[in-house]
Amino acid sequence: MSTPDEPQIPHKELGHIPGAEPSSRMDVWWWLVALVVGITALLLFAWPDPFMNIFKFVQDGIVITITVTLVSFLLVLVVGMVGGLGRLSTNRAVHIISTLYVELVRGVPLLVQLIIWYFAVPVMLQYLGKAWAIPALEGFQADPVVMAIIGLVFCYGAYMSEIYRAGIQSIPKGQMEAARSLGMTYFQSMRHVVLPQAVRVILPPIGNEFIALLKDSSLVSVVAVADLTRRGREYASIHFDPIEVWMLVALLYLIMTLFSARVVNWIEKKTKFER
Amino acid sequence: MAEPIISIRGVHKYFGRVHALRGLDLDIDRGEVVVIVGPSGSGKSTLLRCINRLETYDKGKIVVDDIPLDSARNINAVRREVGMVFQSFNLFSHLTVLDNLMLAQRVVRKRPPAEARQTALELLEKVGIPDKSDAKPAQLSGGQQQRVAIARALAMNPKVMLFDEPTSALDPEMIKEVLEVMLALAAEGMTMAVVSHEMGFTRAAAKRVIFMDDGQIIEQAPPDVLFNSPHHERTRQFLGKILSH
């Protein structure tokens, strides 16, 4: 219900505030995506040998890269929320455990962590299985994709925890107090009042994390996952044409990251007015 | 005489080394309107916030409507019956006015949406802003926001309403519209504990004024008695400061 003489939500007025208008500039950057797609298509169709051959060879790697990235990211969103809430917990044990997790994990390079998950953890489990006579553990065989996803989630979850923590802390304390004073539990208040507001604040850094994760997923090529990077390396080592292979691989990554950046940007713009 | 709805016994509160509440005793009867005054830092807001346990206390006992504030379960039970209005309104800024009024009804009272909506619309009517139900809090004036905040608390059908300096953040011309809502509420027999220095409201609605200083209740009396012939020198000094203009 609104009275006609009173201005409703703000599109018109906000239009005069620099930076607040629904920008047409966001479309401008779509042509960059189009350009990179165009160049890639040109290479593929104008010089099918070697580019189309390379593409056909690496395309299952693209699927793996996208799958690993998406699955990891969804899990990172959950782990980050748990970690972020843990960092803010008044329960000492929970606070200390989540702080240790964040501080320790952020201090070890992702590549080293991935290697530990794939090469060290399975051996450790087998050893424990032998020591405690648990046959299921003794015969443990690591699936490269599963271990890679665990490694990515474990590492990125720590970074995401800090993003959630900062986002939740940016919401005025009075919001939580008002919710609690109405009889809502801590988790109801978080779910209905604080997190919906925090998510808007942390959307840009979350988007950045997604793109960083997409790029860092190339590291899983070291631990036996046949992603885009690894398939590229395999092709290059067979055919000895590193220039063409890595040019195309880089272009394919660029298409994915630039496209993601546009999507993130679009979501940000969309939620901007709903403050 | 009926049992008091709020009973506070020997409550102590420390903020680090600061002894904010020094062994407070206070009873508030059903339907009573109590106004708490005192200099800043005297512990009046802290006392109010202890009643619905937004602030923990270190010693003593508080019982609200026969429920002792001693377990998480009881605390949530008390909060369902005690509405609170804040100095800074604290409306949920991501929700519309209507959703602000409906959220706790649905989540806490488990009311069906249609019933929650009906209650919300009636209360908006009551606080005089029926036409703002679809607005976001940021589009309202301070006075309107505070009236929505009162309606939001009332939507839970509380037995007690706590007001923590409800008009301190408002421009003078908006104070009146909020006080009118509060006066109407007092006239309906709502039990109210109000931290405020609004003397007009206090004279008109309060059954008892409590003067606090340094974490203690210095004296309490009906408004005309306390304002005209305070017993203690400290009360006199304080009243001199706030009544002189």
Side-chain angles (χ1 to χ4, degrees):
Chain A
M1 270 172 284
S2 63
T3 43
D5 53 332
E6 235 152 336
Q8 265 308 303
I9 305 219
H11 292 269
K12 260 186 198 144
E13 295 89 85
L14 276 185
H16 304 298
I17 302 169
E21 68 273 16
S23 172
S24 58
R25 240 176 311 161
M26 98 178 220
D27 299 321
V28 174
W29 290 101
W30 280 106
W31 67 250
L32 190 61
V33 183
L35 182 73
V36 177
V37 171
I39 291 173
T40 311
L42 181 72
L43 292 178
L44 290 179
F45 294 109
W47 295 277
D49 180 31
F51 289 110
M52 192 53 98
N53 297 341
I54 300 171
F55 181 78
K56 282 183 175 152
F57 188 84
V58 300
Q59 61 187 1
D60 51 350
I62 300 175
V63 175
I64 296 277
T65 289
I66 292 175
T67 311
V68 166
T69 303
L70 286 179
V71 171
S72 302
F73 184 69
L74 290 178
L75 294 172
V76 164
L77 287 178
V78 178
V79 171
M81 187 186 298
V82 174
L85 290 174
R87 292 272 281 136
L88 294 169
S89 173
T90 49
N91 180 316
R92 264 182 87 80
V94 173
H95 174 77
I96 289 173
I97 290 170
S98 38
T99 305
L100 277 178
Y101 164 62
V102 167
E103 293 298 332
L104 295 182
V105 167
R106 288 195 304 173
V108 178
L110 174 57
L111 181 56
V112 174
Q113 291 188 40
L114 289 170
I115 291 171
I116 290 174
W117 281 105
Y118 183 63
F119 291 107
V121 169
V123 176
M124 205 168 72
L125 290 177
Q126 288 159 11
Y127 178 81
L128 287 176
K130 228 171 263 170
W132 295 337
I134 307 168
L137 274 187
E138 210 176 324
F140 181 82
Q141 290 300 319
D143 180 85
V145 173
V146 172
M147 294 317 265
I149 289 176
I150 292 177
L152 285 173
V153 170
F154 197 73
C155 180
Y156 266 76
Y159 290 95
M160 196 64 87
S161 297
E162 285 300 89
I163 293 177
Y164 271 98
R165 181 189 58 76
I168 292 169
Q169 279 180 327
S170 77
I171 305 304
K173 251 178 86 182
Q175 295 284 311
M176 175 58 101
E177 289 188 345
R180 298 305 302 276
S181 76
L182 288 164
M184 290 194 228
T185 64
Y186 174 81
F187 285 103
Q188 288 172 337
S189 309
M190 269 292 165
R191 158 147 157 51
H192 295 290
V193 175
V194 177
L195 283 176
Q197 297 182 56
V199 163
R200 279 179 201 160
V201 176
I202 64 181
L203 218 54
I206 283 184
N208 289 340
E209 287 297 288
F210 177 79
I211 293 161
L213 178 63
L214 177 59
K215 290 183 289 178
D216 276 352
S217 75
S218 62
L219 291 172
V220 304
S221 62
V222 177
V223 289
V225 176
D227 75 326
L228 174 55
T229 304
R230 189 182 180 91
R231 293 296 279 163
R233 206 165 59 215
E234 287 168 4
Y235 189 93
S237 66
I238 300 166
H239 299 271
F240 305 106
D241 44 6
I243 297 177
E244 292 86 346
V245 170
W246 295 114
M247 187 159 78
L248 185 63
V249 168
L251 281 169
L252 291 172
Y253 273 114
L254 258 181
I255 290 173
M256 292 190 277
T257 51
L258 290 177
F259 177 78
S260 307
R262 286 308 95 211
V263 172
V264 168
N265 188 280
W266 177 72
I267 295 173
E268 268 172 49
K269 287 263 155 67
K270 237 187 99 154
T271 51
K272 196 169 186 172
F273 289 106
E274 296 172 12
R275 272 298 171 82
Chain B
M1 177 109 189
E3 284 275 289
I5 190 162
I6 297 172
S7 153
I8 299 168
R9 284 289 169 277
V11 166
H12 287 264
K13 165 75 185 173
Y14 295 85
F15 288 110
R17 270 195 225 154
V18 178
H19 199 167
L21 296 179
R22 298 167 181 256
L24 265 162
D25 296 318
L26 177 65
D27 284 335
I28 298 176
D29 291 324
R30 281 171 209 279
E32 192 181 18
V33 177
V34 170
V35 173
I36 305 167
V37 298
S40 106
S42 60
K44 49 195 195 306
S45 284
T46 307
L47 171 64
L48 207 62
R49 290 161 59 84
C50 281
I51 295 176
N52 68 352
R53 200 56 189 254
L54 279 185
E55 212 71 75
T56 57
Y57 44 91
D58 299 292
K59 228 165 95 183
K61 197 173 176 193
I62 298 181
V63 179
V64 180
D65 198 25
D66 295 327
I67 307 169
L69 278 173
D70 54 9
S71 66
R73 193 192 177 86
N74 282 0
I75 289 165
N76 283 328
V78 164
R79 285 176 179 155
R80 284 196 288 273
E81 311 304 331
V82 177
M84 179 129 187
V85 176
F86 301 86
Q87 181 178 355
S88 48
F89 328 135
N90 296 347
L91 292 180
F92 305 136
S93 52
H94 63 304
L95 298 178
T96 63
V97 165
L98 191 64
D99 287 333
N100 262 276
L101 267 66
M102 287 173 64
L103 180 61
Q105 292 192 65
R106 286 182 26 240
V107 173
V108 181
R109 292 271 192 235
K110 313 280 182 214
R111 286 181 190 152
E115 186 193 337
R117 191 188 161 83
Q118 186 59 34
T119 311
L121 291 173
E122 282 168 19
L123 283 166
L124 285 177
E125 186 85 46
K126 180 172 173 173
V127 299
I129 28 181
D131 54 342
K132 294 289 182 189
S133 58
D134 291 331
K136 286 284 179 71
Q139 296 168 267
L140 304 181
S141 72
Q144 290 171 332
Q145 288 193 51
Q146 193 61 299
R147 284 185 282 156
V148 172
I150 293 173
R152 178 177 66 177
L154 290 175
M156 297 294 287
N157 302 105
K159 295 175 178 161
V160 179
M161 285 285 284
L162 309 176
F163 293 84
D164 188 5
E165 310 208 23
T167 55
S168 303
L170 295 176
D171 291 337
E173 70 264 34
M174 292 171 184
I175 291 177
K176 191 165 161 264
E177 64 192 48
V178 171
L179 290 181
E180 275 167 5
V181 171
M182 289 171 63
L183 280 168
L185 212 52
E188 285 170 20
M190 174 65 79
T191 308
M192 293 162 68
V194 185
V195 170
S196 175
H197 292 154
E198 295 296 339
M199 289 306 141
F201 171 81
T202 306
R203 281 184 210 279
K207 191 176 156 207
R208 189 157 44 124
V209 182
I210 291 168
F211 174 64
M212 277 184 74
D213 194 13
D214 209 15
Q216 286 169 310
I217 292 175
I218 305 298
E219 65 177 298
Q220 43 185 312
D224 39 319
V225 176
L226 191 93
F227 291 162
N228 298 329
S229 49
H231 272 61
H232 290 260
E233 182 53 34
R234 268 198 282 181
T235 317
R236 205 165 324 185
Q237 281 172 3
F238 176 76
L239 290 174
K241 280 176 202 153
I242 62 167
L243 292 176
S244 61
H245 52 260

